[in-house]
Amino acid sequence: MSSEQAHVVTIREVAAAAGVSIGTASKALNGRGKLREETRARVSAAAERLGFRPNPLAQGLLQGRTYTVGLVTGDSFGRFSIPVMLGAEDALGAGQISVFMCDTRDDPIREQHYVERLLARRVEGIIVTGRRTEPRPSIGADLPVPVVYAMTQSASDDDFSVIPDDRGGGALAARHLLATGRTRIGHVTGPERFEAARRRAEGLTDALAEAGTGLAGDPLFGEWTEEWGRQGADILLRAHPDVEAVFCGSDQIARGVSETLRERGRRIPDDVAVVGFDNWEPMVEGCRPPLTTVDMNLGEIGRIAAEHLLEAIGGAPRARGVLTVPCSLVLRESTRVS
């Protein structure tokens, strides 16, 4: 007996042999969708010729249902995708649906492979998530199952995406600092090429303008790191030594900013208040003092995405466009008023 593993024929190979898309091949083999009989016959003939066999996981289940959905993520670290998944599982648990999680490592080829494998397992829907909100290519326009994007957004207007309201989060931080009596506010944030960094800066500056004040200098765009937080705080203090508060584009940046403020003899929050963004517990609780921050409510994003997916699986018309979920402010000692 040969020690080599037999080649497993994929649905992509069947689709290529039949001259149709992967979605059409899946519909034909699963008896779904409105297809011409000639198309179904051609796909079935190609599958038989190649020796394609559906995954046994799907066999024998009531009415062909698998009670599973796929979660495709490019967030290898899990910083954003795990809270989204937990929120999704809370919603899916009510329907007794399990989640298959696939890590693409931001590799389009790997992503396509996982989509094919999920379809082979006959998942009933797919949630796509990531670690940034920039529009990304759709995973497919003709897939046989509904797809929802969470903590990332599809570039296609026909898809449905759920993302945090970054602009609103920036405004939330600004209003809180103004309410504590701080008016000379600086901003140290991540790379300008990131939509999240731009939106948070816009929310901050717009809220300050509405209150009749302005930002201390221009937003300082850099990197999503503690080191940049240290450098950015140094730049800000040299240009605006009278700054009363710093809104940071992430908790990591805020931790670096806090270190530089302490090194320069500035007391937090007595001399300078600091607000972060993300509510990443290892960062915010490790700061001295603990950090006031904006929470993106990732669990809520996952829950809403999963509920829309369940509705689509149940036959409801598929939602389209982008839904933004409000952020919330988590108060800690870094903005306390004496």
Side-chain angles (χ1 to χ4, degrees), residues 11-12 14-16 18-28 39 42-43 141-143:
I11 197 167
R12 169 183 275 185
V14 174
V20 299
S21 70
I22 294 171
T24 298
S26 181
K27 289 175 183 176
T39 301
R42 193 165 77 249
V43 173
D142 61 348
L143 297 181

Side-chain angles (χ1 to χ4, degrees), residues 186-192 197 201 204 215-223 228-229 231-240 246-249 253 257:
H187 186 39
V188 182
T189 190
E192 192 170 9
L204 172 70
L215 193 65
D218 295 323
L220 296 175
F221 293 99
E223 300 297 330
W228 164 240
Q231 295 174 10
D234 188 58
I235 294 169
L236 181 63
L237 289 173
R238 290 177 186 274
H240 302 278
V246 184
F247 169 47
C248 304
I253 292 172
V257 166

Side-chain angles (χ1 to χ4, degrees), residues 57 61 168 221 225 271:
L57 180 70
L61 291 177
F221 293 99
T225 63
D271 300 323

Side-chain angles (χ1 to χ4, degrees), residues 156-209:
S156 172
D157 293 336
D158 290 331
D159 289 328
F160 179 65
S161 307
V162 187
I163 60 174
D165 182 5
D166 286 305
R167 184 191 291 267
L172 202 61
R175 295 187 186 111
H176 169 63
L177 290 170
L178 290 170
T180 64
R182 283 101 172 184
T183 57
R184 294 187 292 278
I185 301 168
H187 186 39
V188 182
T189 190
E192 192 170 9
R193 68 180 182 275
F194 281 81
E195 181 173 288
R198 299 194 303 273
R199 295 289 178 266
R200 292 166 193 176
E202 289 166 2
L204 172 70
T205 54
D206 287 351
L208 293 177

Side-chain angles (χ1 to χ4, degrees), residues 4-336:
E4 294 183 5
Q5 287 189 332
H7 172 66
V8 178
V9 178
T10 68
I11 197 167
R12 169 183 275 185
E13 292 171 282
V14 174
V20 299
S21 70
I22 294 171
T24 298
S26 181
K27 289 175 183 176
L29 293 171
N30 294 327
R32 298 180 182 178
K34 296 179 180 179
L35 301 176
R36 292 185 299 171
E37 284 305 314
E38 183 271 332
T39 301
R40 290 189 191 278
R42 193 165 77 249
V43 173
S44 295
E48 185 173 352
R49 185 171 67 253
L50 294 173
F52 175 78
R53 294 291 180 271
N55 191 295
L57 180 70
Q59 303 303 305
L61 291 177
L62 180 64
Q63 298 178 347
R65 291 199 63 182
T66 62
Y67 296 94
T68 58
V69 302
L71 188 143
V72 177
T73 179
D75 175 26
S76 300
F77 188 60
R79 164 66 191 94
F80 302 106
S81 60
I82 289 177
V84 169
M85 183 183 71
L86 293 175
E89 284 187 326
D90 285 344
L92 295 171
Q96 298 181 331
I97 291 180
S98 301
V99 179
F100 290 126
M101 185 172 180
C102 304
D103 175 18
T104 70
R105 303 178 193 173
D106 270 343
D107 181 347
I109 296 175
R110 192 180 182 92
E111 178 178 87
Q112 188 59 47
H113 165 76
Y114 278 131
V115 171
E116 291 171 12
R117 297 314 302 157
L118 289 170
L119 292 176
R121 283 180 173 267
R122 293 185 64 183
V123 296
E124 300 188 41
I126 297 174
I127 298 174
V128 181
T129 186
R131 61 176 182 270
R132 59 180 74 96
T133 56
E134 274 68 29
R136 46 143 298 155
S138 173
I139 65 169
D142 61 348
L143 297 181
V145 298
V147 178
V148 174
Y149 296 77
M151 190 52 200
T152 189
Q153 58 181 309
S154 171
S156 172
D157 293 336
D158 290 331
D159 289 328
F160 179 65
S161 307
V162 187
I163 60 174
D165 182 5
D166 286 305
R167 184 191 291 267
L172 202 61
R175 295 187 186 111
H176 169 63
L177 290 170
L178 290 170
T180 64
R182 283 101 172 184
T183 57
R184 294 187 292 278
I185 301 168
H187 186 39
V188 182
T189 190
E192 192 170 9
R193 68 180 182 275
F194 281 81
E195 181 173 288
R198 299 194 303 273
R199 295 289 178 266
R200 292 166 193 176
E202 289 166 2
L204 172 70
T205 54
D206 287 351
L208 293 177
E210 288 175 9
T213 187
L215 193 65
D218 295 323
L220 296 175
F221 293 99
E223 300 297 330
W224 301 113
T225 63
E226 288 184 52
E227 177 58 29
W228 164 240
R230 289 190 285 270
Q231 295 174 10
D234 188 58
I235 294 169
L236 181 63
L237 289 173
R238 290 177 186 274
H240 302 278
D242 61 345
V243 69
E244 296 175 316
V246 184
F247 169 47
C248 304
S250 77
D251 293 335
Q252 281 182 283
I253 292 172
R255 190 160 173 167
V257 166
S258 297
E259 286 183 14
T260 293
L261 289 172
R262 285 197 303 272
E263 290 172 1
R264 299 293 186 275
R266 306 297 179 92
R267 297 170 300 162
I268 304 172
D270 301 304
D271 300 323
V272 182
V274 179
V275 176
F277 204 108
D278 289 340
N279 196 28
W280 189 9
E281 284 196 12
M283 284 288 164
V284 297
E285 297 294 349
C287 270
R288 290 293 175 264
L291 185 67
T292 291
T293 187
V294 177
D295 193 316
M296 292 183 286
N297 293 321
L298 297 176
E300 181 71 0
I301 288 173
R303 185 189 64 77
I304 291 171
E307 287 180 348
H308 277 81
L309 192 68
L310 283 173
E311 289 174 2
I313 290 171
R318 298 187 188 182
R320 290 178 170 81
V322 178
L323 174 68
T324 57
V325 174
C327 298
S328 57
L329 190 70
V330 181
L331 299 177
R332 296 188 179 90
E333 294 176 33
S334 67
T335 58
R336 187 192 69 244

